[in-house]
Every structure is written in structure tokens, then in C-alpha cells.
Amino acid sequence: MGGGSTASLLVSVACVVLAVFPPVASGDAATLESVPDLVKAMYINVESFPCVRLLNHSGQVGCSNPGHDKVIAPIVRFGNKNDQLVQPSAVLLPLDQMTDFFLRVSSDPELYRKIAGVLVETNGVDDVLELSPDRKFPQQAFVPYSNLSHHWNPMGSGIMWNKYDFPVFLLSEESTQTLQKLADKNEKSANGYLAHVAEFDLVMQTTKAGTHDSESCLREQSCLPLGGQSVWTSLPLISNSSTKHQKPIIMVTASQDSASFFRDRSLGADSPISGLIALLTAVDALSHLHDISNLKKQLVFAVFNGEAWGYLGSRKFLQDIDQGADSVNGISSLLIDQVLEIGSVGKAVSEGYPLFYAHAAGNPSISKKMVDALQSASESLGSDNVKVKPAASSNPGVPPSSLMSFIGKNTSTSGLVLEDFDSQFSNRFYHSTLDGPANINSSSIAAAAALIARSLYILASADLPIDLITLNAIKVNVSLVEELIGCLLKCDPGLSCGIVKSFISPSNSCPSHYVGVFQDLPAGTQFPSYADDISRFIWNFLADRTSSLAGNSSSCTGQCHGEGEICVGAEVEGGGRCVVSTTRYVPAYSTRLKFEDNLWHILPVNSSDPFSAADPVWTESFWNTIGLRVYAVQATSYDWLVLLIGIIITAASYFAVIVGRSYISKIIKRD
């Protein structure tokens, strides 16, 4: 029998089966024309976002199927009225009950054994009071002070740092509605012949390989280290790699990555993308100044990647400076005079006006100058009524931030972190899927950008008289803030927005701020392999805003040949243009990793690095496929009934054949 005949037979049989056992999806069995049609009618592929398996030097966190096979289980609701399970089940869980559920699962072995998988419903910000799967003191191991009992993140539950040997998926809004209907059907037909099940495909390669920490999985090549690309630039240009006769440096930093229980839902709108947008907007405002090269201090802007995972970006940046890497030519650690970090600034609107807090560290006199500059900048904004206050002296030190890397490297470093909170995070959704665009205020970010831009002009002027005309001319583009929120935090327009597509060809419209994995050593400082969409956009944006025209203004699609020239917008149709800019990529991965002989190796603890022993060396497991689908199955008792009927029909058919043959034989003998 040919392939076409086989398919036709399958479809014919399917039509009979579907008439008896209706499919999950809506559709008419009579319209089935092929095997793919049959599969589509029987199965629903569910749009969802997985929790995946991560490893560090001491063990594993995150989620995975318990073995090498898919997990299939009936879908049941789990909530206040139904918190008991009679068999291994796919639990449909409201988002606002997620924290209590996972805390209970971790302490209740009997319940743990009944969890085949978890389906977390999507809810809006207004439906959940608070949700933070991170700890109450995030990244406590990197703190440069002794008080570790402070709760910067009082909403933190720590559930994202536990290991779960069952799959967990966050459902999209549409999938949430679908699964709720199926769970309701299961509940109504608890004793019926038909049940709706979820099929989880979340088998991690580290589970197959039996590797249980970063060192073993890197050795067996079942994982890759977390990492990406940081970006830095300068205003004005740093013309060459020599550090002689250069000005003291004011480092202005922000982070570009966030974390979440669910890998691809790490938006981090307030923490830290609001700070990133404020930095980009401040650079845009300062780029219009004509006399910036006359200032007494050099402005260097750095956007770090991997900060949510052991401050990968900032620590690698500082290590590269010490080692004189090409990626940081022109920067000397001896020249870094002040560090100003833009933290969470998206929720600062209080009592009708933006109020920010300056968390200072280091030399008190230098810190005071920085706070004074911020307050002078706020006064210059006049009717905009932007306020700045020093953080409470009762705080143990600066909050979790990249500044900790600088202080850890050099305890005499002076700097401050600008935040929208004083003693505790104002973000109720720190490192959760709900830290999205609805959790921030664009006017707060615009106010922070204006405050930062004017403060930097004051600080970079040092002992020069402040030109009030120039200071008051520094204005931020509020429309740019709104546009960047839409580009970096929403799927519509997302990375398909005009400003992003003017620089790069994005691989995906929906932005994600998960750091990703680092595959191998970078090929260069302009176009490294595997740089993600966000890093490439930041590089191009900063290069464009901090550039001067190149001698040869012809279009380019890669390298430019003049000194200090780089190609901006090389990915767009028609090619980019050569400009002169100091903008560079810097690799961001653990300082305890070395790529050699096509393998990643973990280095011993570096005694000269105070944070080396605390470095978790995060890695992410490989996987072949990740999927979630639902379909209907019949009860086992009904299977036995069908089998019994089939046996009876077969026996009757066999008896009929015997009788028929006997009858025919008699007729033939008579003839």
C-alpha cells in the first residue's frame, strides 16, 4: 500500500474515532484531509514560557522534567478551595498564589510527589499585590559591608533559587483562558470517560548527562555559561589608547539585563530597564552640547550585561581594565574618579513630583560633591520640581548594584546609586514577570534623565564656573523616553520600532532582557558573534549619539578603515555609515571562566579578587526541544470497555466466518 493510501486510511479511521471521542480543539472531523490535519485537530500547542534548569558551582536551580521522557498528566485547578491532589497532576495555578504554592511544595514531600507539572496563569499588575521570586537581600554574597540582615526586597520569597524536578510553564493570556476551560471540564466530568491532559516536554540535557553542577556540565558539554555583551562609550571621544594626559573619569553606569522565574519573561521594566532608558536619554541630551570637550573631566558611559547573575558585566569590565584588554583601551582604573549608577528610576513619582534617593559610598567629601551636584541640577530644573534626597544614614550601605563591583575592586572608590527608593525597593515585582511597562512611569524616567544629564555637566565642570545658559539648555527628549519604553518593554511595536530598525535588523520583535549564554570567545570589539538584539541596539545608539563625522562618510557594511572609525547601522538595508566614536563591546561572563581547546574551564579562586570565591559561575542547561500541548484522553475503564467490545466483535466475526465457510462448503458439495 502506498504512502497516500496509508494517509487516506488513517484519516478515514480518524473520522470514525473523532466521532466517538471528540478532540480538544474545535473543528469538524469531516474536514480532515491529511495526517497533519488530524494532529492539529487532536492537539493544542500551548503558548507558554518555561522555567529552565540553571547550574552553578554548588548545584542546580530551576525546573526540568524528572527523567528522559515527556510528562503527561490531567489538568486540575489548585487554589484555596482545592489544595489536595489524589494523583500526579498538571496543576493550573493562579499567579497570585505562586509564592505560597512553591514555598509549600518545597516543604511538603507528599505534595511534591503529586506534582507532575505546573501551569501558571497570567494576571495583570492590578490583580497581584506583590510578587518577587528573588531573595530579600539579592546577591548578598557580593556585599562590601557586614550588615547582611537588611531586607532591601521585603517582598522576596527566594523561590527562583530552588530546584524543581517537574516542569513549570507560564501561560500567555490566551492560553490561560484555554486551560481554565479545560480544567473546568475535567472538574465537571470527574467520573466521565474523557479527560484533558497536559503533555510537558522540558527534558534538560544536564538531566540526561547526569551533570549536577557547572564544572561537570561544562566538562561534559551539557551546558553553557551565562553571559553576553556589555557596551561602553565616552563623551567626548577618547582619541587613542594612551592614558597619559587624560582627564579624570566619571563612570556613568546602568544594567541591561534582568532575571525572572521564567527565562523568557525577564522584562525588568523598573529594575533595571528604567535606569537604562534614563542613561540613553541623558547621553542623547548631552550629545547636543558643543563645548563638552572643554570640561575638566571625562564622561564614560557603561551599560553592563549579566548583572543579575553575579555582576558578570561589571566584574569582567574591571578585570579587562586590569589586564589591558583591547575592549577597554583608553580606560585606566587609576583615572576613575567617581561612579554614578542609574538604578531603578521608574517609580519615583511621589505626591505629584519625582523624588529620587542618592545612595552614596566612599570618600564622604567626594560623595557630598556628587549629592550637591544632583541637588543643584534639581534646582536648575525649576518648575519641573524634581527632588533628590540623600538615602537614610541607617541603611547598611548601597543597595544591590554594579557599584558593589567597583567598591569590591577598590575600597576607596567613591560613587552613588540613584534610585526611586530609600531603605526598601519600591518595586513590588522585583525580578518577576509582572515588572513590565505597567509598573513604571515615563515621566519619572524622563525626570531622572534630566537630573543625570545636568548633574554630569556640573560634575565634569569640576572647579570651572558653571555656565548657566549651557546648563539650562540641557533638555531631555521626552518622546525618546516614550519610544524606548515601547521598543524595549513591549511586543508592539517592540524591537520592530523605528529607532531600533534604523540601527539593526532584530531577530525577534518581543524584547527579553534575560542575559542568555556565552558560546565562545568574542571575535572583536565591534561585531562580536552572538551579540543579542538589545546589546547591538545599545552599541549602535551610543555610537551614533557620541560620534563625530568620519573623514570618509561613505556607506559601510562592516569595518571602517580610518583611525577610531566604526560602522553604525551596518545591519540595515543599504548599509550604515562610518563615524568616529569610542563605543566598544566588552564580553560579560564569569571572571572564573577560561575558554581553551574549544571548552570552557573553571579557574581556581583568585585571591586578589575579593568576589572570586562568591562567584556562582552560572550556567544554563542545553535542551533539544521545549514544548507544552494539551489533548483529550479516555479513561482507563473506558479503554477496557472498548477492548471488551472489540473482543466480542472479533469473536463474533470469527464465528461468522467459520459458519459461513461451513455453509459455503455444503452448497459446493451439493452442486
Side-chain angles (χ1 to χ4, degrees), residues 155-214:
M155 288 73 69
S157 63
I159 59 173
M160 66 184 287
W161 304 115
N162 295 331
K163 174 188 172 186
Y164 305 101
D165 286 325
F166 50 77
V168 183
F169 285 81
L170 175 70
L171 303 173
S172 68
E173 290 185 12
E174 183 178 352
S175 297
T176 295
Q177 296 175 7
T178 300
L179 270 294
Q180 286 174 341
K181 292 176 182 177
L182 297 182
D184 289 341
K185 288 181 179 179
N186 279 352
E187 190 173 336
K188 291 176 182 177
S189 60
N191 298 317
Y193 75 89
L194 205 63
H196 299 279
V197 299
E199 179 185 271
F200 300 92
D201 190 353
L202 193 69
V203 179
M204 296 287 112
Q205 193 64 40
T206 50
T207 302
K208 285 187 172 183
T211 49
H212 304 299
D213 57 33
S214 290

Side-chain angles (χ1 to χ4, degrees), residues 477-493:
N477 183 348
V478 177
S479 297
L480 176 61
V481 173
E482 297 279 2
E483 185 175 13
L484 289 174
I485 289 174
C487 297
L488 299 179
L489 293 171
K490 300 178 181 179
C491 287
D492 184 16

Side-chain angles (χ1 to χ4, degrees), residues 47-90:
E47 183 184 14
S48 54
F49 310 94
C51 159
V52 302
R53 178 56 47 86
L54 300 175
L55 305 92
N56 56 33
H57 67 75
S58 60
Q60 307 174 72
V61 304
C63 314
S64 172
N65 280 16
H68 300 178
D69 302 317
K70 297 177 182 179
V71 173
I72 302 172
I75 303 164
V76 300
R77 282 186 179 274
F78 193 93
N80 295 328
K81 297 180 180 179
N82 177 25
D83 62 355
Q84 301 295 326
L85 300 175
V86 296
Q87 62 177 325
S89 304

